[in-house]
Amino acid sequence: MSEYILEMKHISKLFPGVKALDDVSFDLKPGEIHALIGENGAGKSTLIKCLGGQHTPSEGEIYIDGEKVDIVNAKISKEHGIGVIYQEFNLVPSFTIAENIYLGREYKKGATIDRASMFRDADEILRSLGQEHMSSKTPVFQLSISQQQMIEICKAVSTNSKIIVFDEPTAVLTQKETLLLFQIIAQLKAQGVGIIYITHRLDEVLELSDRITGLRDGKITSTIDNGPNVTKDDLVAMMVGRKLESYYPKRAVEPSDEVVFEAKDFSLSPIFSGVNMKLHKGEILGVCGLVGAGRTETMKSIFGVLPHDTGEVFVDGKKINHISTHELIKHGMVLLPEDRKNEGLSLMQTAAINLCIPNFDQISKNGLVNAKMRDAFIDKYFNMLMVKPSLPERLAVNFSGGNQQKIIIAKWLARNPHILVMDEPTRGIDVNAKAEIYNIMNELTEQGMSIIMVSSEMAELMGVCDRIMVMYEGKIVDEFARDEFDEQNLAKAQSGIQVHAAS
């Protein structure tokens, strides 16, 4: 019998115009955590979709417990004990938690579905994963993004899979939920489950994995055993072919005293209240807080996506009398949303159409699209943001998560704003692409732009921001200047422990 629970041998996958996988061989042992790392577009998701039955390899073979298998659809993948927790959720919003967990394998009592037994067993799974505060009768559309992620984990655990793939599982989890997930993974490992772990968070790779495999441009770069001598720089070199001297660019400019944006006593009960915020010209202002602190909702309300109860917004010293998305864009302020799939892109349209929709005036003459202007416009921003692959007529849904994010950034940069609100701009983006975005942010502020950056990554905020404001339970509770940045104090403030004395 093979020592490997999974062997993927010489896997290649061709798509029109691109070879996504090129002779990739990957294996997994029972009770092993094997990390798979690489830039967005490197081929990680394609490889996993071949394992999960969403894609059929153009070449190569897959073996489970030494036996060759033909995985031609997701059903067969599950029958062979493979559970995949994709980065993008596969949930039915109108169904309950229990109905999602047992979707396609519902309990039956005669000719009817035995919902009572499904609710009972789903509640037990939730309790086993530390989610006893949730009821399996709750519709999924009422859950937060992090709670939906936990339901995806419940689905995989409920099938008693012998191979489980975690694709960016902590991207939307709180610190507490992340620690709980790590405990769950340790339990699965102890039970002999083989785990493939995909993440851009290199600390997690070093903490969890037994082996690490790098992918670049659809090819394996190397596979190494994890150990005390393996560093982040080693992992970056596996992904991008070089070591990064620094993840964060040195701030080349100091923000001016000029206030370009201000929110006064902004509230939306019961989500957030009394928010006061100033943004200076050339500044990168960070906003942090635990999930549920009201960060995203505050930004959406300020931008007119959500309503507000009280408060005022000023841009360049002028009060915005009718707060709306249209009005703020007109005044040079744009928002990159946290949920790129549902709010940032039209997934079933091409990248080119997504880029052009808000920029019709830049690609048209006399009300008609000018082909030369359109092509030059698309080329400019595809090259500026280094979108890969450079196929603007490809559907947005078929780009990797990081390149989807780049398309969103490009379409709003094309509006030439002077205030940019970025909500989790690097979530799900690889380390090299993150560095590119940090450099873009730095260059934009050098040109006089001002940025509000909402992020869950403390190191990221400390690395790129001039100032950080902390939210807790819907209120701004503390503020830190760059020379005061300290991870422990920021964590305290996020937990409601005020570091600075109230003024």
Side-chain angles (χ1 to χ4, degrees):
M1 185 175 176
S2 172
E3 67 171 309
Y4 298 106
I5 194 172
L6 167 69
E7 294 171 275
M8 303 181 77
K9 297 183 177 182
H10 307 293
I11 303 294
S12 294
K13 179 61 181 177
L14 299 174
F15 293 106
V18 63
K19 192 169 190 178
L21 295 173
D22 186 0
D23 195 28
V24 170
S25 293
F26 179 88
D27 51 48
L28 178 70
K29 299 174 184 177
E32 177 186 41
I33 301 174
H34 193 153
L36 183 62
I37 62 173
E39 297 181 75
N40 288 109
K44 305 185 302 297
S45 293
T46 303
L47 183 66
I48 295 311
K49 286 180 178 178
C50 288
L51 181 62
Q54 277 69 35
H55 293 328
T56 301
S58 304
E59 298 176 14
E61 300 172 331
I62 298 175
Y63 293 79
I64 305 292
D65 290 327
E67 297 291 327
K68 183 181 176 183
V69 298
D70 292 318
I71 300 176
V72 295
N73 56 46
K75 184 174 182 291
I76 291 175
S77 177
K78 291 176 183 176
E79 289 174 353
H80 285 289
I82 300 166
V84 183
I85 302 170
Y86 291 105
Q87 183 178 357
E88 310 302 339
F89 306 146
N90 291 300
L91 300 172
V92 182
S94 60
F95 283 15
T96 65
I97 290 173
E99 288 168 335
N100 272 279
I101 290 175
Y102 294 107
L103 187 63
R105 50 193 183 93
E106 292 83 359
Y107 292 2
K108 296 291 182 67
K109 184 183 285 186
T112 62
I113 295 175
D114 185 2
R115 284 187 169 79
S117 296
M118 286 167 54
F119 289 140
R120 181 197 64 222
D121 288 357
D123 280 330
E124 181 57 37
I125 293 171
L126 288 167
R127 281 194 295 272
S128 72
L129 298 180
Q131 303 299 305
E132 56 277 348
H133 60 284
M134 296 169 63
S135 168
S136 64
K137 296 180 181 179
T138 304
V140 162
F141 73 83
Q142 293 183 6
L143 304 179
S144 67
I145 292 177
S146 62
Q147 288 173 325
Q148 291 180 38
Q149 174 69 85
M150 294 304 293
I151 302 311
E152 288 284 10
I153 294 169
C154 287
K155 284 169 58 178
V157 170
S158 72
T159 61
N160 296 315
S161 302
K162 55 187 176 183
I163 298 168
I164 297 182
V165 182
F166 290 90
D167 188 359
E168 295 287 353
T170 64
V172 294
L173 299 185
T174 65
Q175 185 177 15
K176 181 180 178 181
E177 289 166 335
T178 297
L179 292 174
L180 177 60
L181 173 64
F182 291 173
Q183 293 172 11
I184 293 166
I185 289 174
Q187 292 171 8
L188 294 169
K189 173 182 168 71
Q191 295 165 10
V193 176
I195 294 169
I196 301 173
Y197 196 87
I198 302 172
T199 184
H200 295 305
R201 296 182 173 179
L202 303 185
D203 288 328
E204 294 180 7
V205 174
L206 296 175
E207 180 178 350
L208 294 176
S209 64
D210 299 301
R211 282 193 297 159
I212 306 164
T213 290
L215 264 177
R216 183 168 68 247
D217 298 328
K219 297 180 180 180
I220 297 289
T221 58
S222 60
T223 297
I224 63 173
D225 292 325
N226 192 14
N229 295 325
V230 179
T231 67
K232 284 185 182 180
D233 273 345
D234 295 328
L235 303 186
V236 171
M238 291 172 68
M239 291 190 291
V240 303
R242 60 186 174 86
K243 292 191 176 184
L244 296 182
E245 297 300 324
S246 174
Y247 295 104
Y248 308 109
K250 185 177 180 181
R251 296 288 285 135
V253 296
E254 288 292 330
S256 74
D257 293 332
E258 180 184 348
V259 176
V260 295
F261 168 82
E262 184 174 8
K264 291 184 178 180
D265 195 31
F266 220 71
S267 300
L268 176 60
S269 181
I271 303 171
F272 60 87
S273 63
V275 170
N276 291 289
M277 179 184 299
K278 289 183 180 180
L279 176 69
H280 298 91
K281 186 174 182 178
E283 180 180 36
I284 300 178
L285 171 63
V287 179
C288 68
L290 302 178
V291 171
R295 305 166 308 172
T296 293
E297 293 84 356
T298 300
M299 296 304 134
K300 283 185 172 181
S301 185
I302 285 171
F303 197 65
V305 178
L306 292 177
H308 69 285
D309 299 326
T310 62
E312 299 174 316
V313 165
F314 298 81
V315 176
D316 298 323
K318 298 177 181 178
K319 181 179 176 180
I320 306 297
N321 292 316
H322 303 288
I323 297 173
S324 68
T325 299
H326 174 76
E327 194 68 17
L328 284 159
I329 290 175
K330 190 169 74 173
H331 282 79
M333 184 172 180
V334 297
L335 169 68
L336 275 63
E338 175 188 26
D339 186 353
R340 64 173 176 264
K341 293 289 187 181
N342 293 312
E343 299 176 348
L345 290 169
S346 178
L347 291 175
M348 299 314 295
Q349 297 290 344
T350 65
I353 288 175
N354 274 278
L355 184 56
C356 291
I357 283 173
N359 297 293
F360 181 77
D361 57 323
Q362 299 188 52
I363 60 169
S364 61
K365 282 186 177 180
N366 301 319
L368 297 175
V369 173
N370 180 286
K372 287 185 177 179
M373 291 172 65
R374 177 186 182 275
D375 291 345
F377 175 81
I378 291 168
D379 286 344
K380 174 183 176 180
Y381 285 98
F382 256 67
N383 291 332
M384 180 187 296
L385 275 295
M386 293 181 283
V387 180
K388 299 177 184 177
S390 186
L391 298 172
E393 302 307 324
R394 173 189 264 196
L395 294 180
V397 71
N398 292 327
F399 283 85
S400 68
N403 284 292
Q404 288 175 349
Q405 187 74 297
K406 288 182 180 181
I407 294 166
I408 298 170
I409 294 173
K411 76 175 183 179
W412 288 123
L413 286 185
R415 296 309 307 160
N416 194 30
H418 69 283
I419 300 170
L420 184 61
V421 182
M422 309 176 81
D423 194 350
E424 300 286 5
T426 65
R427 175 173 285 167
I429 292 178
D430 64 78
V431 64
N432 202 39
K434 283 184 178 183
E436 291 170 3
I437 289 176
Y438 300 149
N439 280 313
I440 289 168
M441 292 169 66
N442 210 33
E443 290 168 5
L444 291 172
T445 56
E446 287 179 27
Q447 297 164 19
M449 189 178 290
S450 308
I451 298 173
I452 299 174
M453 180 184 192
V454 178
S455 177
S456 300
E457 293 193 32
M458 200 84 70
E460 174 175 80
L461 290 169
M462 294 169 62
V464 303
C465 294
D466 300 297
R467 187 164 51 100
I468 300 174
M469 303 185 82
V470 183
M471 291 194 72
Y472 175 74
E473 294 186 346
K475 296 181 179 180
I476 301 286
V477 295
D478 220 328
E479 181 180 317
F480 296 81
R482 172 171 278 278
D483 60 4
E484 299 174 312
F485 289 175
D486 177 88
E487 191 165 358
Q488 186 174 359
N489 284 337
L490 282 164
K492 284 181 180 179
Q494 288 188 111
S495 301
I497 303 171
Q498 193 171 34
V499 175
H500 293 102
S503 58

